[in-house]
Amino acid sequence: MPVSLEALSRSLEVLSENPIIIVPSLVPAILDLLLKLAIMGARFHAFMHPLLMMQYYGLMMIGGFVTALVGFIAVAMEADMANDVFQGAKADLEKSLDRVLKTMGTLIGLAIISAIFAMTIILVPVALFLITIAIVDEVGVGEAISRSFSFVTGNLGEVLLFVIAIVIIDIILSLIPFIGGLLTWLANCVFIMASVLIYRRLSGKGP
């Protein structure tokens, strides 16, 4: 079995043994669900009262930003906990949150670059591993970008297979009414764990 697909399977197994890893994703998942409910209510009132339209768009923008920020922190925490577990240590929420907050500047910089790369489509595989590499190798923005390019070009087949698997799973989940967004947040936890495992294995850092 390809390393990328095996990593997804192994990540599900590890997650079932260490459910604490998914806890950070529950926060943005719940926020996303509540935001959708609030937007549905606000949209109804906005159509009934046009003067409330600005409040409707404001809710969408602010709510989306907060959810994205919390989701970003969750992803980084999960990458850190997954890296610990794959090295034989225990997943520790407090330790991972502390580390993420201490490196927030670097991680936010990489998140912005990841978003820019993702818009080009062709650089999506590179964007996918930026945060993972920063967490696993404990490096800064420039070094994470350099290592991500090297890793992707050196393991292009496995990385592309991983990207395709993510796209297919995301499409399927997006078709599920109402809770599709919630399930997508939870699936993202498995994806980030798998990215850590793929990077560790293909770069010779262990299991």
Side-chain angles (χ1 to χ4, degrees):
M1 181 185 294
V3 172
S4 53
L5 300 184
E6 184 184 352
L8 285 167
S9 175
R10 175 59 181 155
S11 294
L12 276 172
E13 181 183 337
V14 169
L15 184 59
S16 68
E17 298 168 351
N18 302 269
I20 193 174
I21 296 177
I22 206 170
V23 170
S25 272
L26 294 178
V27 180
I30 292 172
L31 283 176
D32 183 62
L33 189 60
L34 292 175
L35 179 62
K36 283 183 171 63
L37 290 172
I39 287 175
M40 287 173 61
R43 181 168 55 187
F44 172 77
H45 289 293
F47 285 137
M48 296 295 292
H49 304 282
L51 292 178
L52 297 177
M53 190 62 73
M54 291 299 295
Q55 293 182 7
Y56 167 66
Y57 286 116
L59 176 63
M60 287 181 61
M61 292 179 60
I62 296 173
F65 173 78
V66 171
T67 300
L69 178 61
V70 174
F72 164 72
I73 294 174
V75 164
M77 288 179 64
E78 288 162 354
D80 187 63
M81 286 191 286
N83 189 46
D84 286 343
V85 171
F86 290 138
Q87 293 183 85
K90 287 186 177 181
D92 187 326
L93 274 174
E94 185 176 352
K95 171 259 178 187
S96 293
L97 177 59
D98 182 63
R99 183 181 175 198
V100 168
L101 293 178
K102 286 181 178 177
T103 57
M104 185 63 76
T106 294
L107 295 176
I108 288 178
L110 287 172
I112 294 172
I113 293 170
S114 293
I116 295 172
F117 282 4
M119 287 189 292
T120 68
I121 306 298
I122 195 172
L123 293 179
V124 166
V126 176
L128 192 60
F129 285 90
L130 285 177
I131 300 297
T132 295
I133 291 174
I135 293 291
V136 174
D137 291 349
E138 300 184 15
V139 294
V141 174
E143 189 62 26
I145 294 173
S146 175
R147 294 188 187 190
S148 186
F149 269 103
S150 296
F151 176 74
V152 169
T153 54
N155 302 277
L156 191 57
E158 287 285 358
V159 172
L160 288 179
L161 184 59
F162 182 49
V163 172
I164 292 171
I166 289 176
V167 170
I168 292 174
I169 294 172
D170 274 344
I171 290 175
I172 293 173
L173 292 179
S174 69
L175 297 176
I176 301 175
F178 197 64
I179 63 169
L182 174 65
L183 295 176
T184 297
W185 276 110
L186 301 182
N188 284 341
C189 177
V190 177
F191 298 153
I192 191 65
M193 290 177 66
S195 74
V196 171
L197 187 54
I198 291 170
Y199 180 65
R200 290 187 60 82
R201 286 187 175 178
L202 295 181
S203 60
K205 299 182 184 298

